[in-house]
Amino acid sequence: MKIEKEYYLSWIPFFSQLSPEEVAEIAGDFRWEAYPKGVTIIEQGQRPKSFYLLCEGKVEVTKGNGELATSETKEAGPDSVFGEISLLTGKPFPYSVRCLENSHVLSITADDFAQVLLRKPQIYQSIIRELTDDLIEANQMLSDNKYKEVLRSTIKLTQYQDKFYGIWGSVRTTKEVERKLEEVKKQPKNLLIRGERGTGRQMMAWYMHQHLYQEAAPFVVVDGRRFDQQWGNMVDQLLDIAAGGTLFIQEIDDILPQTQLILAQAIKMHSTNCFIIGSLQIQQGISKDKLLPELEACFIHRYTITPLRERKRDIPVLAQGILEKLAQKNHRKTPTLTPEASQILLSHHYRQGNVTELIQVLERSFFLATDNMIGLEQIFFGPTSEQVGHKINLLRWPFIDRILKKSNALLWIRRIAALLFFLVIGGMIFSPHLSIFMKIFALVWGLWWPALSLISPFLGRIWCTICPFSTVMDFVQDKIHFHRSVPEVLVKYDYLIVSALFLLIFWIEIITGMRSNPLYTALLLIIIQIAAVIIGVLYPHHAWCRHICPLGGFIGTASIGSLIEVRSDPAVCLNKCTTFDCYVGKGDIKGCPMSQHLPYLDNNLDCKLCFNCVRNCPHESVQVNLRFPAREVWHLKRVNQGYTIFIGMLFAILFPIRYFEPLQKIWPATQWKIAFTLAYILAAFVGGLLGWWLGKPFKTKAASKRIKLVFALTPFVLAGHIIYQMNFIPGIQDLTLGLSRQTLTGIQAASVSVTTALKVMVAITGVVLTTLTVIIVLVKQQKQTEQK
């Protein structure tokens, strides 16, 4: 039975102010429980640990001689909520709940509910309204003092030190905060806090309250954005509720001017009732302060929290403290940040959310890390991928959905491909002169390699889906694995490693005449397979495929603008998912072999179409889309920008290859090899330097216009390589296209070779696609500039 939690949670009045996205976010904190007929869900007098929402079934509620009502029994059906008052007050349940039929409920523990209140403080006011309605319906059976006690017990669940882990940063920052705390304690007058979103204004308010009062004192939080609707005519009552404690008004300048005047007058009249803290949000150093002078004058103390980007010495202290508390809470050893990961944390500007953004990054990296080391691969910054343009989700077709999610078809295709791979290698080594192996050898070089150049721009890294190197590596890795962390040099400079190895293999192929030598080809394939296995044994996931494989680098670059993509809905991933199954795996299905976190995947460069994420995702968030080709180029954000160097090299080496190829039959072999090698190296160096100069790659920042323009050249570069590979397709040189027409003088005919016709078509296609992509990149960038 598949039941959506969000649908049932929308019944709870407490959550009436939440958007559907916010309800989806907190749904993960609730769990399903099934109770058969006759079972008691709640026992009268039991200490509260959870509250329950009845979704299906019927129950009997028996009230004893508790303080809420006289003894009575009644039936209740779906949408009934039980135990919320006891959970908030901490007092025993005053009634029992027994199932009259098989029932399903959603429950949440007290601790988890406290965390929900932390994340969504607007729920407080909904609770207050619901409690007020219940008290009125009960004919005011609780006195005003009792009502206040209930409200205070509710608000006391707020624990802001948990939200920010109770850490300010370095010794200097901590002492600065402590000085302000002491200053306010000596003269406990109202405090106004300014700061950007996520800097810690809420935590500052909670610490100030803790410093001034004991645990039992009320700490009342209200939202200035809803103040007028909820408290506009009840300002005196609000101050009375917070009497003896702290009233914290978030975004106080969002209160309407007329209500600000009423609040200012009420504060002056109740100046000794409670301590009032107001907070204002500053955006990128600019205050949107709309606070009236009359209300601002009510705050004697002022404090501005410095943005995290301006106090980066605090970052290592914050990071260490957050990881230590996460490890303690989850009963794990505290992971260590690698120097490169620490450097990225220090270099980021945190303009999206300051300390809150840092916390989210570290929490995510903590759960993504499979060992006690957090490196570059577990650090995800910046915006998630965009849902742009019209796409067709192929998983909507039952046949494809069944194959990718439940069938073992892909597994068997990989096994068959690996078996054929070994048979071909064996044949090329032991029986290279057999007719069948000579034909296979000719097809490998003549069709397989050109096919990769042709297919990848349309179907992405589809070869990687069935790659025998990967299959064999996976098999060995399951048997032997040393669980070492991927060296940061591989992660940081993978684009240079891939570029160098691709250039090396391409050079060896040309210099040795490998296309006509089965033994050399077999030795090359064996060496590549051994290297892949060694890397797979040493390091987790498919480090070979992502950081080293030259063929994968070429195919990945070609796949940037392909028709096929695997993407997820970031809103679902970040708000509902707490297990990260797409990354870490689930059951017998491994996680992402390329160490990708799907909400942040916005390009095909490092997606090898293994479809593990499709099978692992419990929220149906992953999609396999058919899209407009090259669209992602003008929406790039998180692409490995170093591949601009690879693109430059791919383009540049075409010149020495094209120039020296005709000379191979004319010059002496040694002279030709030396000249070609020098020209090849020089061209690769100049091309890589040109790619770097054009793109100015920066691995930790979003892709710039220059980066997008370099990637836009990919169709043109690929067209050059396809044209080169066409020369080796078996038999294509013997094919001719002819045209003829009947005239008065006889038949006139013209012909052109198939090779020439195809090369012209490929060249035109490459130029058109590159031109179109460049134009769209420039237009999109211009629109973004105008919007800013």
Side-chain angles (χ1 to χ4, degrees), residues 614-630:
V614 176
R615 306 182 72 180
N616 282 328
C617 180
H619 305 292
E620 304 293 330
S621 173
V622 184
Q623 302 173 357
V624 179
N625 295 320
L626 194 64
R627 64 181 185 180
F628 185 79

Side-chain angles (χ1 to χ4, degrees), residues 684-696:
F685 177 78
V686 173
L689 195 62
L690 181 64
W692 176 85
W693 179 78
L694 288 174
K696 293 292 195 304

Side-chain angles (χ1 to χ4, degrees), residues 126-137:
S126 297
I127 293 175
I128 291 173
R129 286 198 306 275
E130 292 303 315
L131 290 175
T132 303
D133 293 341
D134 290 344
L135 291 171
I136 293 174
E137 291 177 3

Side-chain angles (χ1 to χ4, degrees), residues 53-78:
L53 168 66
L54 179 62
C55 300
E56 294 182 353
K58 185 184 296 184
V59 299
E60 177 185 73
V61 182
T62 302
K63 294 185 178 181
N65 294 322
E67 53 184 305
L68 292 179
T70 59
S71 299
E72 63 173 328
T73 299
K74 65 178 182 180
E75 294 183 358

Side-chain angles (χ1 to χ4, degrees), residues 279-321:
S279 75
L280 298 170
Q281 181 174 323
I282 300 174
Q283 296 180 350
Q284 305 298 319
I286 302 175
S287 173
K288 61 180 183 66
D289 199 333
K290 298 173 288 185
L291 202 62
L292 294 181
E294 293 83 353
L295 183 55
E296 188 172 5
C298 297
F299 297 92
I300 305 302
H301 298 288
R302 313 288 169 84
Y303 187 73
T304 300
I305 303 178
T306 307
L308 186 58
R309 63 182 175 275
E310 296 178 13
R311 49 185 177 97
K312 290 194 173 182
R313 290 184 178 180
D314 294 343
I315 292 176
V317 180
L318 289 167
Q320 183 63 27

Side-chain angles (χ1 to χ4, degrees), residues 425 428-429 514 517-530:
I425 289 179
M428 287 190 293
I429 293 176
M514 191 175 292
N517 193 313
L519 180 60
Y520 287 175
T521 300
L523 289 176
L524 175 64
L525 296 177
I526 291 173
I527 290 172
I528 293 175
Q529 181 65 82
I530 292 174

Side-chain angles (χ1 to χ4, degrees), residues 552-565:
F554 177 79
I555 297 174
T557 305
S559 302
I560 286 290
S562 68
L563 294 168
I564 302 289
E565 68 174 12

